[in-house]
Amino acid sequence: MALPLRIAPSILAADFTQLGDQIRQAEAAGADQIHIDVMDGCFVPNITMGPLAVEAARRVTSLPLDVHLMIVHPENLIPAFVAAGATLISVHAETCPHLHRTVQQIREAGAHPSVVLNPGTPAVAVKEVLPFVDMVLVMTVNPGFGGQAFIPQMLGKIGEIRGMLDALGSTADVQVDGGIDVTTAPQVVQHGANVLVAGTAIFRAPDGIAAATRALREAVRQW
Ligand code: DX5
Ligand code: ZN
């Protein structure tokens, strides 16, 4: 059964002087959820947003807020992100020695749990928690920055994760993040991804947010 294709614009690439307007434009263009990249300068070499930004986004859109935590000790901040309005919270396998506990914590706090794999982390690292998650995010760049080149060797891992979920009878989503555009989107969808994060391709598109969102959806329509 094919899962619905969803587009998750990443506001990391948005114009922060007009963040509310940019999120509204993405919603009007047919975005399915808003991806918010939280970085701590420790797990990844960059610092971005926190619960305050999630709370601000919550006030301008009714779309699900898809919060990608690239932080050490994410368990300490899960209550704050849920209180700020996060719909779905993704935690990296690399930051969670007690991954099963953290996933349960997210669900008990009232958000959908998701686990993330860095490019260097094999699919098997999340195998034991697959029955407990609503999404798996396969990073297609090393996290930390927008605008990086897609790593094509990740296509196999996308298929591997989709296959493991299917074998469990799970309808959890497979999300991809990093270097997704009209060229790479059909490839990831063909391999089993159904939630596409796109920052640069949407918010930095020369023809605007609406046209870029439509183009991305059109690029994967046949799949
Ligand atoms: C990278 C972030 C991504 C980033 C993707 O660490 O997790 O969500 O915004 O940006 P693009 O789409 O520009 O590769
Ligand atoms: Zn992200």
Side-chain angles (χ1 to χ4, degrees):
M1 183 191 68
L3 293 170
L5 193 284
R6 298 212 298 275
I7 295 180
S10 165
I11 60 170
L12 189 62
D15 177 351
F16 274 50
T17 66
Q18 303 174 53
L19 189 54
D21 179 59
Q22 301 246 300
I23 292 173
R24 285 192 198 95
Q25 280 190 51
E27 179 168 3
D32 298 286
Q33 59 203 56
I34 301 296
H35 186 83
I36 303 178
D37 287 304
V38 177
M39 305 186 189
D40 66 353
C42 185
F43 175 59
V44 291
N46 195 6
I47 297 179
T48 56
M49 300 164 260
L52 198 61
V54 173
E55 194 268 328
R58 185 70 297 160
R59 282 188 276 123
V60 297
T61 181
S62 56
L63 289 179
L65 299 180
D66 158 15
V67 177
H68 176 190
L69 296 183
M70 288 160 274
I71 61 175
V72 296
H73 301 301
E75 63 280 0
N76 294 345
L77 282 161
I78 286 164
F81 281 106
V82 173
T87 311
L88 182 143
I89 294 182
S90 296
V91 290
H92 274 257
E94 303 84 6
T95 64
C96 295
H98 306 288
L99 188 56
H100 176 267
R101 179 185 290 158
T102 307
V103 162
Q104 301 289 83
Q105 183 194 355
I106 294 169
R107 196 178 294 285
E108 281 163 18
H112 294 284
S114 156
V115 287
V116 195
L117 293 161
N118 271 346
T121 305
V124 71
V126 295
K127 179 170 184 282
E128 301 304 328
V129 297
L130 292 182
F132 307 97
V133 299
D134 293 336
M135 189 173 85
V136 178
L137 166 52
V138 178
M139 290 305 298
T140 42
V141 299
N142 284 290
F145 303 94
Q148 302 181 80
F150 176 80
I151 304 172
Q153 287 78 4
M154 295 302 113
L155 289 170
K157 187 157 61 177
I158 295 165
E160 217 180 322
I161 292 287
R162 183 69 265 162
M164 288 157 82
L165 289 168
D166 288 348
L168 290 170
S170 169
T171 54
D173 295 304
V174 177
Q175 184 178 59
V176 285
D177 184 5
I180 301 301
D181 58 20
V182 292
T183 305
T184 55
Q187 301 172 36
V188 295
V189 170
Q190 213 177 341
H191 281 78
N194 70 300
V195 185
L196 309 179
V197 175
T200 306
I202 288 181
F203 288 108
R204 305 277 169 98
D207 48 354
I209 295 168
T213 306
R214 279 196 302 271
L216 200 54
R217 204 177 284 283
E218 186 59 27
V220 296
R221 201 168 49 89
Q222 74 213 70
W223 306 105

